[in-house]
Amino acid sequence: MKKGLAVLQAVLIFKLVSAHGHTEGHDGDSEYAQRHMATEHHIDTFDPKSFFHLHDFNRDGILDKDEIEAIYGVHHPYSQKKSADEEAHQKKAEHIVSTVLNIMDKDSDGKISLEEFLEKGVKALPSFDGLGAEGHHYDVESEFFLHHEEEFHSTPETQTDEAYNHEEDLEHFAAHENIERQEIVREAAYQGISVEEALEEHERAEAAAEARIKELREQEEREQEQLKQQRPKPTTRPANPEKLDPAVRYGDAEKESEEFGEWGTGDKGYKVPSTPGERLRKNVPYKYKFRRNWGDF
């Protein structure tokens, strides 16, 4: 199987060498740089100088072998997985570096200066996606988030347990389970217990943690409900009589005056009128009918 992969990769490299082995006639329209900046750096607009300085990691003004390999993510785990073995991987790395140097290294010193890079431009950078050199910079966890999670699991409905069924998802979770398994094996060896016993301890700890989280959430919900019940209800102040509509303020005055009876009779007798209803009583002296002060009538 490995021999078959090695042969297939050798054929791919041969084809790429034929296509990119010299500067003349090279297809400079791969748009690799544009795609790389958008997917790896989330930058859609840039100029060649910015691209150069971004990948000149040691800031020495040149792109050397290591930095060219980094531009293509040659030694990233995703790229290494697509190499049949270590020897094939090294050949792939050498092929990528030599191809880029043949295109851009005008003075053949094994490095690319800023001037040389600007002379050719970012469009001259070829693509090596067929070899698995897709330009990944970050660790596997970050790459999974950037290139898979954002594309396929960016909405609530695509973040359910059932939605994580892509091949990349299964591979990602399997890798996590393998890491956890290795940690448990080391833990069991350190404690002098079996792996099964260590697994049982982890399961008990996880169950206890989940129960505690549930308990805290329920407690928080109860406290929130209590706060709602204890919150004082808003009080409504009576309207200022002076600001009431006259139709409302004096609406019952006539009826009230009839209940009081004539001036000088009943409980009110000859008392000075203090309400609109009292002022409308029959035979009330004229001096009490007109308004003397604001608020009297």
Side-chain angles (χ1 to χ4, degrees):
M1 181 67 179
K2 286 188 176 181
K3 288 184 178 180
L5 288 173
V7 170
L8 177 60
Q9 193 158 38
V11 172
L12 287 172
I13 291 176
F14 175 77
K15 289 182 177 180
L16 284 167
V17 169
S18 300
H20 305 301
H22 52 83
T23 304
E24 295 298 328
H26 176 265
D27 180 10
D29 296 325
S30 70
E31 298 295 344
Y32 169 78
Q34 187 71 40
R35 177 164 47 84
H36 171 79
M37 292 291 279
T39 58
E40 289 296 318
H41 301 285
H42 286 198
I43 298 175
D44 295 323
T45 304
F46 62 95
D47 56 25
K49 185 179 289 188
S50 299
F51 184 96
F52 182 93
H53 289 308
L54 181 63
H55 294 90
D56 178 16
F57 300 120
N58 59 6
R59 300 292 186 268
D60 62 353
I62 60 171
L63 297 180
D64 56 22
K65 170 182 173 294
D66 293 337
E67 288 162 337
I68 294 172
E69 290 176 344
I71 289 174
Y72 290 96
V74 173
H75 300 298
H76 191 276
Y78 284 171
S79 173
Q80 291 177 333
K81 282 170 55 178
K82 295 187 178 181
S83 299
D85 51 36
E86 183 60 27
E87 182 180 355
H89 184 72
Q90 290 304 320
K91 288 182 179 179
K92 177 173 72 175
E94 292 170 3
H95 163 67
I96 290 172
V97 172
S98 63
T99 300
V100 175
L101 288 175
N102 285 340
I103 296 170
M104 292 191 162
D105 182 16
K106 188 175 181 179
D107 59 7
S108 301
D109 63 350
K111 298 171 289 188
I112 303 172
S113 66
L114 176 60
E115 292 73 18
E116 290 172 329
F117 187 83
L118 295 179
E119 182 178 337
K120 293 295 182 179
V122 293
K123 287 189 176 182
L125 289 172
S127 172
F128 298 99
D129 288 359
L131 297 178
E134 300 172 353
H136 298 310
H137 288 332
Y138 305 100
D139 58 86
V140 174
E141 193 72 20
S142 299
E143 291 291 347
F144 177 80
F145 177 78
L146 285 172
H147 300 294
H148 183 79
E149 189 82 16
E150 283 190 352
E151 182 177 356
F152 296 103
H153 304 292
S154 58
T155 59
E157 57 270 18
T158 59
Q159 293 175 349
T160 62
D161 291 341
E162 295 76 14
Y164 285 90
N165 55 12
H166 301 98
E167 181 181 350
E168 293 85 352
D169 295 325
L170 301 178
E171 182 180 351
H172 181 75
F173 295 137
H176 272 274
E177 290 178 1
N178 184 47
I179 293 172
E180 292 174 2
R181 176 78 179 183
Q182 292 175 3
E183 290 177 351
I184 290 174
V185 169
R186 288 194 293 269
E187 183 179 325
Y190 178 77
Q191 294 183 4
I193 60 177
S194 67
V195 174
E196 288 71 21
E197 290 173 326
L199 282 170
E200 290 177 0
E201 285 187 4
H202 273 263
E203 290 173 358
R204 286 195 295 270
E206 288 178 1
E210 290 177 0
R212 179 57 178 164
I213 291 173
K214 182 180 179 181
E215 179 184 347
L216 291 173
R217 285 177 178 169
E218 292 175 349
Q219 180 180 343
E220 183 179 1
E221 290 174 359
R222 288 194 299 269
E223 291 175 352
Q224 291 294 333
E225 187 62 30
Q226 289 175 358
L227 286 175
K228 288 181 181 179
Q229 295 175 358
Q230 294 172 1
R231 192 173 298 159
K233 296 181 179 180
T235 56
T236 304
R237 294 183 178 181
N240 186 344
E242 293 294 319
K243 296 182 179 180
L244 289 175
D245 187 288
V248 176
R249 185 177 179 186
Y250 304 118
D252 297 329
E254 184 176 358
K255 181 179 179 181
E256 185 181 336
S257 68
E258 293 175 355
E259 293 176 355
F260 291 148
E262 294 184 10
W263 167 260
T265 64
D267 295 337
K268 297 292 182 181
Y270 293 102
K271 291 181 180 179
V272 177
S274 60
T275 67
E278 292 176 4
R279 292 189 181 94
L280 290 178
R281 293 169 67 189
K282 188 176 181 180
N283 297 328
V284 169
Y286 182 74
K287 64 180 180 179
Y288 295 133
K289 288 182 178 290
F290 67 88
R291 178 174 180 167
R292 296 181 177 180
N293 300 306
W294 291 106
D296 285 349
F297 199 40

